[in-house]
Amino acid sequence: MKKKQPSMLTRQVMLDGLKYILSGRLWLKNSHLPALNHVIPEDFTGLCVASNSDPATDHYVLEQLQTLEVKRVRLDISNDEARPFQERFLCNLLSAGFSVTLHAVQPYEAAKNMRSSQAQAEWKQFIEELCQAYAGKIAALEIGNTVNRKKWAGYDMPGFMAAWQIAYDLARQYQIVVVGPNIQDFEPLYNISLLNTLGNERRLPDMHSNNLFVERVIEPELSDFRIFKYKWTRILKFNLIKKAKLLQKIGDDMGVPALVSPVAFWAIYRIKRCLPDGAQKQADYVGRYFTLLAASGALRHANWGAFICQREGLIDDGLKDSEYPALERVAYYKSADGECANYQRNPSFSAFKTVSHWLNGARYLAPVSTGNGLEIHHLQQRGQAVHIAWTINGQCSLLDQVYSPHSLQQAHLFNRDGEPVQDVQMLTESPLYLVWQQPEQIVLRTTRPKLSGTIIHAHIAGQQYFPIEEGDWRGMILAESAAQAQQMWQAWHPETLLPPTKSEALRHARNAIWPLPDPRDETQQITVKKPVRMYWHKTWLDRHKPSKAKRSWNGAMELLRRGVGTAMPLAYFEHANDTTLRGNFYISAYVPHEFAISKAFLAFKQGASEFEGIAADTLYHAFARFCLHMHNSGIYFRDFSGGNILVQHQGDNLHFVLIDTARLQATATATLINKRLADLTRALHKLHWDGRKQFLQIYLGMTGRRLGWQFLWPFYLYDLKVWLKRTIGRKAMRNLLRHIKSRFG
């Protein structure tokens, strides 16, 4: 087969980019850090808007924009059947006083055939009609449409250059500000090459546009692992701020210092691939994304879009994902679909309003903390001192470890949605706004604020987190209110939590596990876990690790964050000066269940075809789906034995709940195959070989793989390891000595 040669466009882009890089210009010292002491434009945040054939939609959108106090919008318009209502909506926006960037979009087939004289004539007529009608009324005309995504825009390089020349010359003739060329994502070689080409033709835009997406790295603060892959991620530090600064520098070097991001978003369905509470996470990311872009000091404008959409909108149109248009709304936000009566605001609606209120027109002073999982950004807004603060990746930070008590008393606190809040004790993934009337009221406990090391799930409905600090005891309680947290603390005070005897415990080996009545409801039970035996080498090896209780809490919280079943964590307590590593307690809700999966696997091994009325094949399929979700969510459980996997039979559905979470490891990306197999070898150990092979065929099939020897080999090794442990291991030797003593002693 003949190897495909790179296109002329690709070769030219690479050549121009290589010349620029070798000249040393793609270098900016500390570009991953925020810029200091700069003013954020008054209209920094904007929205991509659209309407539809129903005039009522115009009025609805205008009302929502006024609620958000948005000043600037971007509207896509094309010479197609949607043009009449797009122009009607444009007139309504202008009449309402909005600053409008009009994004002229060619229909896909026309863009694809832009080399033809007919397509060029139609495009020229369309642009001239827009210029004649709206020159002096619109803020800018944006030319270009994801030019590095041919499958979306349709352009090849000659076609795009023809479209640009026609539209640019007309815009100049009518003295309209030109924005372009609308490059998608961070692909700076395209920015370098296109701006270089446009500069040579003396047709540079007034503002350089690039859609600054970072949603594929999930959280907006993370460095992009797609650039030179994971190995170089921490070294190169291509985070959002660095991307924005480098793109602005490229534009500045080419003669276009003003940079704008016309459209970017987090799609809820994509977030849900990793985290179940997609709408809440999207709202968190809205505030964090715009704050980081503002902190970069590199952009004149940044937009969220689409405004109304079931996938990414601040407003949900009520439609199904299958009703999403064939062409990405990044390329063409043609219309607001669905009916106004079905529109519902997402949590991100309020989050956008709040961050816009505090950012637009503010002076960004400096980061208090950044790049270490804790983000605190210092601004001056309306004569007030403002800190916008949050954590990433499920971490938290205690406010009283960051600010002095008097400083916290002087602060007015607002949550992500702009609501005033009191008694907030920690920073979480949801941005918190701390506002002081005078900057001298801000007194930090330390110049280097840090994380607490405790993981939390920030969006458990109706629940709050209450840090514990009393004497030498530290910990965390999850409760509905401060009063309830105090009730739980008194009932579970670690000085009174004494392990029962072996006969009274659910388990009593290295750890004691026992039930207690739930103080919130005496008819319910909770489960307490405490280490009671530590081998000498573990005491030495684990002395710098978090306590077992804290690790159990963190593991359970990681599972909750990622939608993997586990016993609800309620509290953990640890002694601050404990050298024995036994002075800690982990408390969780009791999990009602039918059986541990090890019992079912043992029954199948002994010849049964079903267990508790569940056929083996049914259990294999359900468990494979659970394991796949767990591993795709970035969980490597590490103690995935059958006794730690509880099965709940609810109607026709099987649910799985994991316990004993202290050894768990969690990552932002899917678990690697070798670690997946390490989990599965433990889980399937008591299952016969035919069952193992059947399960693996199901699991691997879901990942697009086929069962081969390389997937069976880890099972043989694990079986050998268990046999050796039972034969010559510590427990085996102890049993042997006990047997000899009983016989000869």
Side-chain angles (χ1 to χ4, degrees):
M1 184 175 178
K2 191 174 181 180
K3 187 175 180 180
K4 186 177 180 181
Q5 297 297 318
S7 67
M8 185 177 295
L9 170 59
T10 304
R11 289 197 299 270
Q12 187 61 48
V13 166
M14 293 176 66
L15 182 61
D16 290 341
L18 188 61
K19 288 180 180 179
Y20 184 87
I21 293 170
L22 292 177
S23 70
R25 289 190 288 173
L26 195 65
W27 165 254
L28 200 57
K29 186 177 181 180
N30 293 327
S31 56
H32 63 290
L33 297 175
L36 304 181
N37 197 22
H38 61 272
V39 176
I40 302 167
E42 286 279 355
D43 57 351
F44 178 72
T45 59
L47 287 168
C48 298
V49 296
S51 186
N52 55 34
S53 58
D54 184 1
T57 306
D58 290 15
H59 300 299
Y60 175 86
V61 175
L62 290 172
E63 287 176 359
Q64 303 307 308
L65 292 175
Q66 288 163 354
T67 299
L68 291 173
E69 300 176 358
V70 169
K71 301 176 181 178
R72 182 181 52 74
V73 296
R74 176 183 186 250
L75 176 66
D76 288 3
I77 189 168
S78 183
N79 192 24
D80 58 15
E81 73 281 0
R83 182 178 173 183
F85 68 74
Q86 290 167 340
E87 291 206 56
R88 181 201 70 212
F89 182 47
L90 172 59
C91 292
N92 285 330
L93 286 168
L94 295 172
S95 296
F98 288 96
S99 173
V100 181
T101 295
L102 194 60
H103 181 213
V105 181
Q106 270 189 288
Y108 181 85
E109 288 300 322
K112 188 176 178 181
N113 297 313
M114 194 55 197
R115 297 194 197 193
S116 72
S117 57
Q118 181 180 350
Q120 292 177 12
E122 291 174 353
W123 173 244
K124 182 177 182 180
Q125 180 180 348
F126 172 59
I127 296 298
E128 188 158 22
E129 289 172 356
L130 292 180
C131 291
Q132 288 175 348
Y134 304 109
K137 299 177 182 178
I138 59 174
L141 178 69
E142 185 173 4
I143 310 168
N145 184 22
T146 60
V147 293
N148 53 329
R149 295 290 184 272
K150 187 176 181 180
K151 65 179 181 180
W152 293 353
Y155 291 116
D156 58 15
M157 180 55 88
F160 169 72
M161 291 306 299
W164 180 273
Q165 177 182 344
I166 291 168
Y168 182 91
D169 290 348
L170 285 168
R172 281 286 177 261
Q173 180 181 330
Y174 285 88
Q175 299 181 338
I176 299 174
V177 172
V178 175
V179 180
N182 191 256
I183 295 165
Q184 177 68 16
D185 290 325
F186 181 72
E187 296 182 5
L189 298 184
Y190 281 95
N191 300 77
I192 294 165
S193 182
L194 282 170
L195 291 179
N196 182 58
T197 302
L198 295 177
N200 290 337
E201 296 198 1
R202 303 195 178 194
R203 288 190 173 91
L204 282 170
D206 300 295
M207 293 186 182
H208 169 206
S209 63
N210 187 289
N211 300 324
L212 257 175
F213 276 80
V214 289
E215 66 164 345
R216 293 187 188 276
V217 297
I218 304 300
E219 296 185 281
E221 302 79 12
L222 299 182
S223 295
D224 196 338
F225 54 80
R226 298 170 301 167
I227 300 174
F228 301 111
K229 301 300 180 182
Y230 298 92
K231 181 178 179 180
W232 297 94
T233 299
R234 291 188 178 182
I235 298 173
L236 298 177
K237 298 178 181 177
F238 275 96
N239 61 7
L240 176 60
I241 289 176
K242 183 169 186 172
K243 291 178 178 180
K245 283 187 173 183
L246 290 178
L247 290 176
Q248 193 276 333
K249 184 181 186 302
I250 290 169
D252 195 17
D253 288 346
M254 300 293 178
V256 191
L259 174 68
V260 299
S261 176
V263 55
F265 56 75
W266 265 263
I268 293 175
Y269 82 96
R270 185 168 280 133
I271 297 172
K272 285 185 174 180
R273 292 175 182 173
C274 300
L275 303 166
D277 46 341
Q280 292 292 341
K281 292 298 182 189
Q282 183 198 55
D284 291 345
Y285 298 161
V286 165
R288 290 155 55 178
Y289 174 77
F290 281 106
T291 300
L292 291 172
L293 282 185
S296 75
L299 283 95
R300 179 68 182 81
H301 298 147
N303 296 336
W304 183 275
F307 183 35
I308 301 173
C309 180
Q310 74 273 34
R311 286 190 179 185
E312 62 262 13
L314 304 184
I315 296 174
D316 189 337
D317 57 23
L319 301 179
K320 299 176 182 177
D321 280 348
S322 59
E323 298 173 280
Y324 192 83
L327 181 61
E328 283 283 346
R329 285 199 166 109
V330 181
Y332 184 25
Y333 184 18
K334 183 176 181 178
S335 65
D337 297 330
E339 299 178 0
C340 295
N342 298 324
Y343 290 170
Q344 296 289 331
R345 292 176 182 175
N346 277 322
S348 51
F349 184 94
S350 296
F352 180 88
K353 179 178 180 179
T354 305
V355 75
S356 299
H357 174 79
W358 292 111
L359 287 182
N360 289 335
R363 176 176 288 277
Y364 182 90
L365 298 176
V368 177
S369 176
T370 189
N372 58 358
L374 172 61
E375 298 285 333
I376 306 176
H377 297 271
H378 186 187
L379 302 90
Q380 186 178 16
Q381 174 66 282
R382 302 177 183 90
Q384 299 173 309
V386 181
H387 281 187
I388 306 178
W390 68 88
T391 63
I392 73 168
N393 198 28
Q395 299 279 349
C396 67
S397 181
L398 304 183
L399 277 174
D400 63 6
Q401 298 299 313
V402 178
Y403 302 96
S404 72
H406 181 70
S407 184
L408 288 175
Q409 290 173 2
Q410 297 292 317
H412 298 279
L413 273 57
F414 301 89
N415 66 15
R416 178 197 70 191
D417 302 327
E419 301 163 339
V421 290
Q422 297 178 344
D423 299 326
V424 176
Q425 300 184 55
M426 66 176 62
L427 298 174
T428 72
E429 293 175 278
S430 289
L432 182 70
Y433 299 83
L434 301 93
V435 183
W436 293 268
Q437 295 303 313
Q438 301 294 333
E440 55 267 22
Q441 294 174 330
I442 305 174
V443 180
L444 299 175
R445 279 185 176 269
T446 173
T447 56
R448 294 186 177 181
K450 61 182 182 179
L451 299 166
S452 69
T454 302
I455 302 296
I456 65 166
H457 177 23
H459 300 295
I460 301 178
Q463 301 288 302
Q464 302 176 61
Y465 294 91
F466 297 90
I468 296 297
E469 185 172 349
E470 183 178 299
D472 288 331
W473 290 102
R474 308 285 185 272
M476 189 78 72
I477 291 177
L478 178 64
E480 294 177 359
S481 64
Q484 188 183 80
Q486 185 62 29
Q487 176 193 17
M488 295 161 74
W489 170 242
Q490 292 174 354
W492 300 334
H493 195 287
E495 300 290 353
T496 64
L497 282 178
L498 300 177
T501 62
K502 283 190 176 183
S503 60
E504 296 174 323
L506 298 174
R507 186 185 301 175
H508 202 296
R510 285 176 298 174
N511 303 302
I513 301 175
W514 70 97
L516 284 178
D518 190 333
R520 303 165 301 174
D521 182 353
E522 294 291 333
T523 65
Q524 302 297 316
Q525 285 189 333
I526 56 93
T527 303
V528 184
K529 178 179 178 181
K530 180 189 186 303
V532 293
R533 183 190 303 164
M534 294 291 293
Y535 297 114
W536 68 268
H537 67 284
K538 293 292 288 183
T539 304
W540 184 76
L541 292 173
D542 291 356
R543 67 190 188 282
H544 297 305
K545 290 182 179 180
S547 67
K548 267 193 175 182
K550 188 171 184 175
R551 281 181 277 154
S552 295
W553 168 281
N554 285 349
M557 282 294 169
E558 287 288 8
L559 293 174
L560 288 178
R561 289 182 65 240
R562 297 157 197 257
V564 181
T566 189
M568 177 63 73
L570 300 175
Y572 83 86
F573 311 121
E574 58 184 8
H575 196 277
N577 301 311
D578 176 36
T579 58
T580 69
L581 307 189
R582 299 195 301 271
N584 56 88
F585 299 83
Y586 172 60
I587 302 172
S588 65
Y590 174 76
V591 180
H593 59 281
E594 276 65 48
F595 56 88
I597 203 168
S598 57
K599 292 185 177 181
F601 288 166
L602 187 59
F604 298 153
K605 185 176 183 178
Q606 294 170 349
S609 60
E610 62 176 41
F611 184 79
E612 297 285 339
I614 304 169
D617 183 68
T618 301
L619 184 59
Y620 296 158
H621 276 86
F623 186 51
R625 287 191 294 271
F626 172 80
C627 293
L628 185 68
H629 168 62
M630 179 184 77
H631 289 143
N632 285 349
S633 298
I635 297 295
Y636 172 33
F637 199 76
R638 298 186 68 230
D639 199 7
F640 205 49
S641 60
N644 291 335
I645 306 164
L646 308 182
V647 183
Q648 297 174 327
H649 199 176
Q650 300 176 4
D652 295 331
N653 299 317
L654 293 177
H655 296 271
F656 301 89
V657 179
L658 302 181
I659 58 174
D660 207 352
T661 57
R663 297 181 63 194
L664 177 153
Q665 290 180 357
T667 57
T669 54
T671 304
L672 299 176
I673 186 63
N674 62 319
K675 294 182 178 180
R676 296 183 184 219
L677 292 172
D679 271 347
L680 297 180
T681 55
R682 285 178 170 269
L684 305 181
H685 177 64
K686 293 188 177 180
L687 187 60
H688 52 79
W689 269 102
D690 286 343
R692 293 180 184 182
K693 291 178 181 178
Q694 185 178 347
F695 174 87
L696 286 172
Q697 285 174 336
I698 297 168
Y699 178 88
L700 293 170
M702 292 176 178
T703 68
R705 298 180 176 92
R706 290 186 178 181
L707 179 61
W709 67 268
Q710 70 273 28
F711 301 118
L712 295 175
W713 184 242
F715 288 83
Y716 288 110
L717 290 178
Y718 186 76
D719 286 352
L720 176 62
K721 174 185 172 182
V722 172
W723 180 82
L724 290 172
K725 189 175 180 180
R726 290 175 178 172
T727 305
I728 60 174
R730 183 176 56 245
K731 190 178 294 185
M733 290 297 99
R734 189 166 59 245
N735 291 336
L736 178 61
L737 291 173
R738 189 182 295 119
H739 175 71
I740 293 172
K741 184 178 179 181
S742 64
R743 182 161 186 174
F744 299 102

